[in-house]
Amino acid sequence: MRQTIKKESIRLFGENGFKETSIQDIVQALHVTKGTFYYYFSSKEELLTEIHFEFIDNLVEQIDEIASHTTKKNHQKLVDVVRLMVINIKSERSSGNILFREMRHLGENSYTEIARKRYEVRERVEGIIEEGIRDGEFRANLNSSIVSLGILGIVNWSYQWLNPEGKFSPEEVANIFVDMILHGVLLQEEDNR
Amino acid sequence: MRQTIKKESIRLFGENGFKETSIQDIVQALHVTKGTFYYYFSSKEELLTEIHFEFIDNLVEQIDEIASHTTKKNHQKLVDVVRLMVINIKSERSSGNILFREMRHLGENSYTEIARKRYEVRERVEGIIEEGIRDGEFRANLNSSIVSLGILGIVNWSYQWLNPEGKFSPEEVANIFVDMILHGVLLQEEDNR
Amino acid sequence: MRQTIKKESIRLFGENGFKETSIQDIVQALHVTKGTFYYYFSSKEELLTEIHFEFIDNLVEQIDEIASHTTKKNHQKLVDVVRLMVINIKSERSSGNILFREMRHLGENSYTEIARKRYEVRERVEGIIEEGIRDGEFRANLNSSIVSLGILGIVNWSYQWLNPEGKFSPEEVANIFVDMILHGVLLQEEDNR
Amino acid sequence: MRQTIKKESIRLFGENGFKETSIQDIVQALHVTKGTFYYYFSSKEELLTEIHFEFIDNLVEQIDEIASHTTKKNHQKLVDVVRLMVINIKSERSSGNILFREMRHLGENSYTEIARKRYEVRERVEGIIEEGIRDGEFRANLNSSIVSLGILGIVNWSYQWLNPEGKFSPEEVANIFVDMILHGVLLQEEDNR
DNA sequence: CATGAATGAGAATTCATTCAT
DNA sequence: CATGAATGAATTCTCATTCAT
């Protein structure tokens, strides 16, 4: 039941927002009563907190795995990270949107910790960029910090518009993004790509 | 007074969210009473609607101007659009965040129209990409639609983290983004950039 | 309206208890709505706090006036205090019962301050006893602290049972108490009172 | 288990109040579950009722024993009653406070019966006073009814402030009260106490 | 123009109690 | 004997909105 509530809440929070979804909405969708909700969660905030942690912990773990790989090239790691996050949309779109939108409703402590974990994600990407520069894979004059934020912008924003059932699959979109990030949009006449 | 209310509301909605900001909060910050608010606005939603239109209309207008330029090269137009939107953060950060976050609270009609205008922005960017491909400025195999969404992701996401008073100015960030979008991150050994 | 709410609340809290009286009960008795209550009071606790302060401040003031009198004998002061507090029941019975019973529902700060003020009352009575001992009015071997608590017990307890409309009027009861406190119950055969 | 629940409940009700103590609080403190509680008690009210009866029955019995003594002088009986009730605080403080504070939560029948038993206590004290007057031990002009209520006020009120571990022991306090009740506070210059 | 009192429809949360196992 | 899941009614509080003045 705990999982059921969480799953339905993710759907509703993702669709309509945290504030906009009442406990009533949640339990009604599950044909149970408010009491049941409060038997499993001590507050709406606790539920939200758990949703946040579940999503971010999973993400951090997967990104860590990619980033800490010892033999992979950095541009491959970057590709992997982008693909991971975009393809994640298939199963975690709502959770992602919740994370990007509802953090302010967390309690102070949870907020801080989630913020730290989001920062870890950013650090991993930055680390890949920096290492790639050192290894001569990436252009030397990149600002790793801002470029990382740009890449995360591309990826995170896609949670807003990318419909897994739509014209382009997450996989295709991920590939397009990867290509764009790696090579830019400009045609370099002198190179024979 | 109407402008004063709107301005303060933008600040509060941007900082704390639409739902989270009560009419009470707004009028209290302005040392007026609720009656005053309702003299100038018929509802909270009307206020929100106006904030949305003001921001998006202004944006569309500026982007149209860039996109409809007849002599500029398309990569220059792209640069201009990115710079426009990022530098906009200096004066319109809150409005932007409101647009990206609170659209769901609009009435049906306004929602549709705002959505249409947001789509126009996207179309302009797509148009620039497509034309650039035709003109041989951009790589031929780009998916203009997804690439545009990527670019908008970079730009729109920066409303979330870019602090105009921070380490990097919007101008610097815009330049880094432009460079990244045009050239990608990869070092092309054969070219002598 | 604020006064009306307070007055009705004192009646209801006094009769049925703070916890047992819902906001609904209060506004229903006044034929207004819950919104009205919260227009005048920010919380049920604020209302309770105000009731406490109004009662205790008034009491402290009156007792101070008696205690600080410069020409009165101390036994007369003691008589005055007892009469004051018992006769108070006529107009303030509910408030008194609220004070004696509902203090725990105050917020921490208010609680502390009310406790301090209640202690002041006790101190005034102790002061009268002590001074009376020094002046040779009262028996020298009295424990002023415990005796004061005994006197306050007599008086405060009467808020529980003394019905101003009952067989004995507050004035009569006060006189009986005064006599009892001053002379005790024992018949001293050797004295010709 | 029944006793364990009762004992813990007395502690919690006495400390925090009947309404303020949830079944959850009780079973949690005992590391059992709600089911267990409801196996032993059919309702929270039944528990409260039992606590009331246990306390008052015990008190009535002890007071009856004192009052019905045939050889003791009445002033001695009065002394015994006061001492009994004050010293009772050592073991029954919480129960006493519950009785004085939570009676309103009893069901109608229990309420009536408890009220009757409380009245019995009062009657015994009145009886002692009256008999003492007849026997010439007490002053003839005492109003036995009001004086009794005064004495009970002294005693019952001490449940509110008398800390058995505090500066004055219940025994000492009882002695001071007894002295005060018997002799009053006034110094009778003509007698040589 | 502006005020401020009043409304009423929800919102989150609590909690005694039930009941199948 | 004991558990723990589930209930549902009640409670405090919020807030956009109305309206007479």
Side-chain angles (χ1 to χ4, degrees), chain A residues 13 25 30-31 46 57 60-61 73 125 157 166:
Chain A
F13 290 167
D25 294 336
L30 296 171
H31 303 292
E46 185 193 303
D57 281 344
V60 166
E61 190 187 345
K73 292 261 186 138
V125 178
W157 194 255

Side-chain angles (χ1 to χ4, degrees), chain C residues 49 52-53 56 103-120:
Chain C
T49 305
H52 270 80
F53 275 107
I56 195 80
M103 254 183 84
R104 101 186 67 166
H105 296 110
L106 295 175
E108 206 172 346
N109 290 342
S110 309
Y111 183 92
T112 311
E113 202 172 347
I114 293 290
R116 202 174 47 67
K117 293 191 181 216
R118 285 184 72 168
Y119 187 66
E120 270 182 53

Side-chain angles (χ1 to χ4, degrees), chain A residues 127-142:
Chain A
I128 292 170
I129 301 284
E130 279 163 15
E131 218 172 304
I133 293 173
R134 274 203 301 281
D135 292 0
E137 294 175 56
F138 297 147
R139 292 160 47 210
N141 63 335
L142 294 179

Side-chain angles (χ1 to χ4, degrees), chain D residues 41-164:
Chain D
F41 294 94
S42 71
S43 72
K44 203 183 171 190
E45 190 189 307
E46 185 194 303
L47 168 59
L48 184 67
T49 306
E50 215 170 292
I51 292 171
H52 270 79
F53 275 108
E54 220 162 89
F55 178 79
I56 197 80
D57 282 345
N58 182 45
L59 187 64
V60 167
E61 188 187 347
Q62 291 181 274
I63 288 181
D64 265 352
E65 202 176 331
I66 293 171
S68 60
H69 216 284
T70 49
T71 58
K72 262 190 192 151
K73 293 258 187 139
N74 287 295
H75 72 262
Q76 186 56 46
K77 287 182 182 180
L78 188 58
V79 167
D80 286 353
V81 167
V82 169
R83 294 174 64 93
L84 164 67
M85 291 179 75
V86 174
I87 290 166
N88 225 5
I89 292 178
K90 283 200 291 194
S91 57
E92 312 278 350
R93 187 180 185 187
S94 286
S95 289
N97 278 328
I98 293 170
L99 181 78
F100 297 145
R101 225 173 36 197
E102 318 287 6
M103 258 183 80
R104 101 187 68 170
H105 296 110
L106 295 174
E108 205 173 346
N109 290 341
S110 310
Y111 183 93
T112 310
E113 201 173 348
I114 294 289
R116 201 174 48 66
K117 292 189 184 220
R118 285 184 71 169
Y119 187 65
E120 271 182 52
V121 170
R122 196 177 133 191
E123 279 181 319
R124 292 298 168 281
V125 178
E126 268 186 56
I128 292 171
I129 301 283
E130 279 162 14
E131 219 172 305
I133 293 173
R134 276 203 299 281
D135 292 0
E137 293 174 58
F138 297 147
R139 292 159 47 210
N141 61 338
L142 293 180
N143 178 316
S144 66
S145 168
I146 303 298
V147 164
S148 298
L149 285 162
I151 292 168
L152 288 171
I154 295 176
V155 167
N156 292 346
W157 194 255
S158 62
Y159 276 74
Q160 297 227 3
W161 56 264
L162 178 48
N163 174 10

